Amino acid sequence: MGKHTLIGGGTGFIGSHLAKHLLEQDYQVTRVSRMPGRKSITWHKLQKNGLPSGVTSVVNLAGENVLNPFHPWTEGFKQNVWNSRINTSANMVKAIQKSNDVEVYINIIGVSHYKPDDLKIYSEQDKVEGYDFLSNLCLEWEKAATLPEDTAKNTREIKLRTGLVIGRGGGMIRAIWRPFMMGLGGPLGSGKQILPWIHLEDLCRLIQYCIENKKIKGPVNAVAPEIITNEEFSKTFASTFNRPCVFNMGEAMIKFLYGDERSPLLLSGAKIHPDKVSSTGFQFQYPTVKAACMQMVEKE
């Protein structure tokens, strides 16, 4: 297949790293973002003109950061969180419909529609369900990213259900970096909640794997094989940097800061395993939180 990938949200934390990774693998990369730039197009231009000529794979990573601490959980911000996922996914589907070149379409999705269950470990075969704002968002996100049947006959479709992305300079790690470096870090809430996660570099490698492996389609759990709690993650992260892990942030404070509808991202989580990619031979470079944290130490 050709190697020209269009990345929706290509200037964000994950998108910029994915673009760099694919360029190193001799891919041609075009990004979609709010502002025009070199080797990039705007969402408006995508809607108006469709995909650039020769694009053979599409990866949509677009979406407002739900846990942005600078945005209180207002109705306006809540609508931005929703629209930035649903609308961009729907627009990407429409653009793909007009192209005859796209061989694979990958859309990143969350994992909140796996309902937390102490006894169950979810695979891609298990059902997902809506039970709160975030889970219903994930369900509608998947619907918006679904290709029509006639288009899906020629374009392989993948819903990448992704946990917390661990990497320097972005996401939750950016938010907790300074407190932990100052010895002020600790678990969130009870700390007993499960934390589905994946290292940033493994996610980029996994996306390339999904582009190139024609056996992969449908929902894909993009999470590391190690299932851990928030407390286990916090202790590992702190110990890797030789810092204490004693300052717990209570559930009431988290709900005060983030609101009832988005605090479940921090206070609850399901046990999820990457069955599909593991069974087809994908090897995680950072299968454990210890290995992931050690990589961040090496970047110091």
Side-chain angles (χ1 to χ4, degrees), residues 2 19-20 25-26 35 46 51 54 65 70-71 74 83 95 99 105 110 124 126 139 141 151 181 187 220 272 285 296:
K20 180 175 181 293
Q25 303 300 314
D26 297 322
M35 301 297 292
L46 178 76
L51 299 175
N65 179 8
F70 301 107
H71 280 288
T74 62
N83 291 343
S99 172
Y105 169 42
E124 291 89 349
D126 292 303
L139 290 178
W141 200 355
T151 306
M181 292 305 98
V220 171
I272 307 167
Q285 191 170 350
M296 288 186 280

Side-chain angles (χ1 to χ4, degrees), residues 20-265:
K20 180 175 181 293
H21 172 81
L22 292 178
L23 287 168
E24 289 172 351
Q25 303 300 314
D26 297 322
Y27 276 71
Q28 183 180 347
V29 172
T30 300
R31 311 179 200 218
V32 189
S33 64
R34 293 188 184 95
M35 301 297 292
R38 184 171 175 269
K39 295 187 177 179
S40 69
I41 61 172
T42 63
W43 287 100
H44 175 73
K45 188 172 182 180
L46 178 76
Q47 282 184 272
K48 183 179 179 182
N49 302 328
L51 299 175
S53 176
V55 168
T56 53
S57 56
V58 172
V59 181
N60 188 26
L61 306 170
E64 180 81 43
N65 179 8
V66 180
L67 291 175
N68 188 331
F70 301 107
H71 280 288
W73 194 243
T74 62
E75 285 300 315
F77 181 65
K78 181 177 169 181
Q79 197 63 48
N80 285 343
V81 166
W82 188 279
N83 291 343
S84 65
R85 287 159 174 76
I86 307 303
N87 294 351
T88 58
S89 299
N91 288 336
M92 201 67 86
V93 166
K94 290 177 183 177
I96 292 171
Q97 283 182 267
K98 299 174 184 177
S99 172
N100 295 317
D101 298 326
V102 180
E103 299 176 28
V104 56
Y105 169 42
I106 300 172
N107 206 105
I108 199 168
I109 310 288
V111 293
S112 294
H113 47 354
Y114 285 122
K115 192 170 185 178
D117 185 325
D118 290 341
L119 301 178
K120 186 170 185 60
I121 298 177
Y122 289 95
S123 75
E124 291 89 349
Q125 300 300 317
D126 292 303
K127 75 169 187 176
V128 289
E129 57 184 303
Y131 54 90
D132 62 6
F133 173 80
L134 293 170
S135 58
N136 285 316
L137 172 58
C138 285
L139 290 178
E140 291 303 314
W141 200 355
E142 292 204 1
K143 287 181 185 177
T146 299
L147 297 172
E149 285 187 22
D150 57 338
T151 306
K153 290 177 182 177
N154 301 311
T155 302
R156 191 162 42 90
E157 178 183 284
I158 295 168
K159 309 287 176 56
L160 209 62
R161 296 171 177 169
T162 307
L164 168 72
V165 180
I166 293 179
R168 286 286 301 272
M172 192 180 88
I173 297 299
R174 182 180 181 181
I176 68 173
W177 189 270
R178 187 179 295 274
F180 271 82
M181 292 305 98
M182 295 173 66
L184 301 176
L188 301 177
S190 70
K192 305 303 180 187
Q193 68 272 30
I194 299 299
L195 185 70
W197 67 281
I198 186 170
H199 191 281
L200 175 61
E201 291 186 13
D202 275 335
L203 179 58
C204 293
R205 292 175 54 249
L206 180 56
I207 290 172
Q208 182 190 352
Y209 181 80
C210 288
I211 291 173
E212 297 176 358
N213 190 325
K214 295 182 179 180
K215 294 180 181 179
I216 304 293
K217 63 180 180 179
V220 171
N221 289 339
V223 295
E226 183 184 49
I227 296 173
I228 60 163
T229 65
N230 179 275
E231 182 178 38
E232 289 168 336
F233 166 79
S234 299
K235 287 181 176 179
T236 302
F237 186 67
S239 66
T240 305
F241 293 90
N242 296 312
R243 299 293 193 274
C245 183
V246 294
F247 289 90
N248 171 271
M249 182 182 287
E251 183 173 324
M253 178 58 72
I254 292 169
K255 288 184 175 181
F256 173 76
L257 292 173
Y258 290 100
D260 289 340
E261 288 185 312
R262 62 173 168 173
S263 59
L265 277 175

